[in-house]
Amino acid sequence: MIDVQEFARRLSTLGAKEFTSDDVVDLAIAADVRISSDIDIDGTLAQRLLDRITPPVPVTGAEMAASEWPPPVSQRPAAPPVTFSSPGAVDGPADQPSHSGRPRTGRRPDSRRSGR
């Protein structure tokens, strides 16, 4: 958990705008949360405050309220964004035509028994 002043300082490191404790109180009022300068901010409260910031910041409330700041950077490369060209449904097996074009019967012909 962090205090209001630390929350404002951490927000300031994320973007071009400089945040003050008063700005954090304004965010709390917008989020319908009672806050004062001596209250501790946990991950849940931090997320509610972050949800009021536009444009959105690239961290979660849990990361903001964590004891380690800035949050650790993953050593794994980021996955490229995925774009779907067609949001429609995928054809299932029942939607696909049969291979032979003729209806299937219950039994398969057995060439081994034709000599009887």
Side-chain angles (χ1 to χ4, degrees):
M1 293 209 286
I2 57 175
D3 64 10
V4 172
Q5 291 171 337
E6 178 62 15
F7 187 82
R9 185 189 74 76
R10 291 180 180 192
L11 275 178
S12 297
T13 64
L14 294 174
K17 182 180 178 190
E18 188 72 26
F19 284 87
T20 65
S21 297
D22 291 336
D23 294 324
V24 175
V25 170
D26 291 343
L27 289 172
I29 291 169
D32 200 26
V33 174
R34 298 188 103 181
I35 196 170
S36 65
S37 59
D38 61 339
I39 194 169
D40 285 332
I41 298 175
D42 64 2
T44 304
L45 178 54
Q47 189 62 55
R48 287 183 69 185
L49 299 176
L50 291 176
D51 289 343
R52 296 295 175 168
I53 296 175
T54 53
V57 293
V59 296
T60 65
E63 291 171 326
M64 280 292 284
S67 59
E68 183 180 347
W69 184 260
V73 177
S74 174
Q75 298 301 320
R76 297 174 60 188
V82 177
T83 304
F84 294 98
S85 60
S86 175
V90 176
D91 291 337
D95 298 334
Q96 298 173 355
S98 65
H99 296 300
S100 65
R102 56 188 165 122
R104 290 188 159 180
T105 59
R107 291 186 53 184
R108 281 183 26 192
D110 191 354
S111 62
R112 292 179 294 169
R113 294 185 152 190
S114 60
R116 283 187 174 190

